[in-house]
Every structure is written in structure tokens, then in C-alpha cells.
Amino acid sequence: MKGFFQNRSFKILLASVFVLLGLMLYTNSVGSSATANLLSLLSSPMQRISTGVTTNASVLAQELTVSNQQLQAENDALKEEIRKLREQLVDYYDIKQKNEQYETVLELKDENRDYKMLPATVIGRDPNDVFYGFSIDQGYLNGVSKNDPVITGDGIVGWVSEVYATSSQVTTLYSPNTKIGAIAKESRDTGVTGCDITLADQGLIKMAYLTSENTIEAGDIITTTGLSGMYPKDLLIGTVTDIQYEDNGVSQYALVKPFVDIKNVRDIFIITDFVGKGEIAITEQTDPEKDSATPSPSPSPSQSPSPSPSPEG
């Protein structure tokens, strides 16, 4: 016990007690202002620190608010710029497409100055149509009529089978309803094109009513005869790939690969008028087989509002 009172820690504790007692006696003698001053002296640094922290936090909050507003404004500006660029990109593609179409039109017009043509774009395909018909973005308000030929720069696609105000339906070469008077440019053999679901699936049509005496060969170019007045003369149809016999063993037919990729065509032209449209060309036929291949007359669109179920040209 005697050692505890001589311990250094005890002496420090005792000194602290005396200092506090002296401080209490002093404050009682001079009043509470001294205590307040002492407390103020001790708390002033903390107050300055607290005030600084509060001020800095307020400034930082204001800066963050301004920064967020600037970021939002910049974000909105970028979104608007992207929207305008998208519109410009759409316009660019439209202009590019039209330029390509007009270049093709000029080429076709140079070769066929009597043609009146209207460019159009494929806007819809029926996935259930096994003959690959499609709709286009031009109708009777633009001058389209039933039976108008539909082509590309590569050749014939088909014909306009239905017409609406601002759109039309196109029936292709692959349809059994499409019958076109055709001629082989090299051999001058004539026939009528036709198709069925099997040939359409293979991307082929056939040129029927050929006789066993024909000289048509694989590689021959097939074009339209222009006899019925529905199609102009010499429209490209396709190339002969093979010659086969009909079931009767007498008549022959040629398998023809169309020049146009009809299944994937996107841009086409409608021939709204040409020299000889609606006029039936009368030609002398001496071969009975070729007589049977002569296309039946198709009425002029001005004479009949509905097309023949099997257009011929």
C-alpha cells in the first residue's frame, strides 16, 4: 500500500486533481465568463474545422449539381445529333437507291426510247407465295395499270396483277398464270413460257410448244416476241439450260434460267407505256405446232379493266 502512494501514476493523478480544484476555485472567484472563454478557446478550432467542412460540402454539392446539369445537356445534345445523323443516313440511302435506279432508267431509255417507265421498290413479300409474288410502292395514282410489264435492268420480272392507290401486286415469271410469247434469238424458235411449283422451287421456267425440228440449244438467249401487245418486243427473259421432251414424246420444251434473281429482287421498273402497247401483232404461221403457241390476244387496259388470267407477250 505504501508503494502505491509513491507510484508515478498516483502522483500524476493527484496533480491533476489539484489542477482541477484550482481551476474550480478560480472560476468561482472570477465568474462563469472565464469558463466560457476557456471552452471557447478549446472549441474554436473544432468550429473552424466544422464550418470549413460544411462550406466545402455545400460548394461541392453545387458543383455536382452544375456538373450533372451540364452532362444532361450534353447528353441531350448528343441524342439530338444522333437523331439527325440517322435521318441523314436514311436520306442518303434513299438518294443512293434513286440514283442507281435512275442510272438504270437512263440506260434502258437509251436502248428503248419509246418506253415510259416508273421506278418502284419492293415493299412486301408473302412468305406463303411459292411463286415469289410481291407488292411494290407504286399504284394507279402514279400511273400504274393492270398488266403493265415489270422489269429490271437485267430483264423481265413479271407483270402487275393488282393495282391500288399507292401500291400494286406483282405476279412473277414463276407463276403458272404468267404466259409470255418467247423467242430464241439464235435459232429463232418460238414458244410460250410457263412454270409450276417444282420449277419455281428450282428457279427455272420452261419454254413450251417447241417441235422436234427445233434447233434451240443450251445457252441460247430467250426474249419476248411482243406479239400480244402486253410486253414490248425483245425484253430479256433468260438463258436456256436444257432441252427436254414433253410426256407425249413429240413436243419439246426448253428449261430457262431467268436473268433476274426474282426471289431476291428489290428495285424494279414498271413499263407504263410503249409503242405497240395493247396492239396485237399479226404474223403468218405455217407450222401447226407454232400456231398453237401463238399467244391469245390480250385486251388493251383501256378496253378491259381486268387482266387475262394467263398474260402473254
Side-chain angles (χ1 to χ4, degrees), residues 124-126 129 132-136 138 144 148 150 159-164 167-171:
R125 293 182 184 272
D126 183 357
D129 185 351
Y132 306 100
F134 54 82
S135 56
I136 56 175
Q138 302 283 11
V144 180
D148 282 349
V150 176
W159 53 289
V160 176
S161 52
E162 296 290 341
V163 184
Y164 310 101
S167 65
S168 300
Q169 185 69 26
V170 174
T171 297

Side-chain angles (χ1 to χ4, degrees), residues 283-303:
T283 59
E284 183 178 353
Q285 297 283 350
T286 57
D287 192 317
E289 289 291 334
K290 290 189 177 182
D291 281 342
S292 65
T294 304
S296 60
S298 294
S300 168
S302 62
Q303 298 172 339

Side-chain angles (χ1 to χ4, degrees), residues 2-295:
K2 181 178 179 180
F4 171 76
F5 291 108
Q6 295 179 350
N7 192 332
R8 183 179 178 186
S9 298
F10 175 76
K11 292 178 180 179
I12 293 174
L13 178 60
L14 186 61
S16 299
V17 170
F18 280 117
V19 170
L20 290 174
L21 289 174
L23 183 60
M24 292 175 64
L25 292 173
Y26 175 76
T27 54
N28 286 332
S29 62
V30 300
S32 60
S33 60
T35 303
N37 291 335
L38 180 61
L39 293 174
S40 175
L41 179 64
L42 294 174
S43 63
S44 291
M46 297 301 296
Q47 290 177 345
R48 285 196 294 271
I49 293 173
S50 176
T51 301
V53 170
T54 303
T55 302
N56 290 336
S58 177
V59 172
L60 180 61
Q62 292 178 354
E63 291 178 350
L64 287 175
T65 300
V66 172
S67 178
N68 286 335
Q69 291 175 348
Q70 291 176 344
L71 288 175
Q72 184 62 42
E74 292 176 358
N75 188 37
D76 292 341
L78 287 173
K79 287 181 178 179
E80 178 63 18
E81 185 175 354
I82 291 172
R83 185 188 65 79
K84 291 181 179 179
L85 288 174
R86 284 173 179 164
E87 291 179 351
Q88 292 174 3
L89 188 61
V90 171
D91 292 340
Y92 164 76
Y93 284 128
D94 286 343
I95 292 172
K96 180 182 177 182
Q97 173 190 334
K98 289 178 181 178
N99 285 340
E100 291 174 350
Q101 287 180 314
Y102 290 146
E103 287 176 3
T104 305
V105 166
L106 290 176
E107 292 176 2
L108 291 172
K109 289 289 288 183
D110 287 340
E111 299 173 0
N112 307 278
R113 296 187 178 275
D114 61 311
Y115 287 5
K116 287 186 179 180
M117 292 186 295
L118 182 68
T121 300
V122 177
I123 57 174
R125 293 182 184 272
D126 183 357
N128 296 319
D129 185 351
V130 296
F131 303 114
Y132 306 100
F134 54 82
S135 56
I136 56 175
D137 61 350
Q138 302 283 11
Y140 63 74
L141 293 179
N142 310 103
V144 180
S145 303
K146 279 187 176 182
N147 296 339
D148 282 349
V150 176
I151 66 171
T152 71
D154 296 323
I156 190 166
V157 176
W159 53 289
V160 176
S161 52
E162 296 290 341
V163 184
Y164 310 101
T166 58
S167 65
S168 300
Q169 185 69 26
V170 174
T171 297
T172 71
L173 287 174
Y174 293 138
S175 171
N177 292 329
T178 302
K179 306 291 184 182
I180 303 175
I183 184 170
K185 300 302 289 183
E186 288 81 358
S187 67
R188 309 304 297 170
D189 289 296
T190 60
V192 176
T193 67
C195 197
D196 55 39
I197 188 171
T198 302
L199 290 175
D201 187 57
Q202 299 174 26
L204 298 171
I205 61 174
K206 78 175 186 176
M207 178 177 170
Y209 303 109
L210 299 175
T211 67
S212 58
E213 288 80 24
N214 76 82
T215 58
I216 195 169
E217 296 179 351
D220 284 356
I221 294 175
I222 307 301
T223 65
T224 57
T225 61
L227 293 179
S228 72
M230 181 172 174
Y231 297 93
K233 183 180 179 181
D234 290 335
L235 283 181
L236 292 171
I237 297 176
T239 304
V240 175
T241 62
D242 193 17
I243 310 297
Q244 298 184 9
Y245 277 94
E246 297 280 7
D247 294 338
N248 58 24
V250 178
S251 298
Q252 290 181 307
Y253 64 91
L255 293 176
V256 179
K257 178 73 173 179
F259 286 121
V260 180
D261 182 7
I262 296 174
K263 298 179 182 180
N264 298 301
V265 68
R266 294 182 180 179
D267 299 311
I268 56 92
F269 299 95
I270 307 158
I271 303 178
T272 58
D273 197 12
F274 58 92
V275 172
K277 181 178 181 180
E279 298 178 3
I280 309 302
I282 305 300
T283 59
E284 183 178 353
Q285 297 283 350
T286 57
D287 192 317
E289 289 291 334
K290 290 189 177 182
D291 281 342
S292 65
T294 304

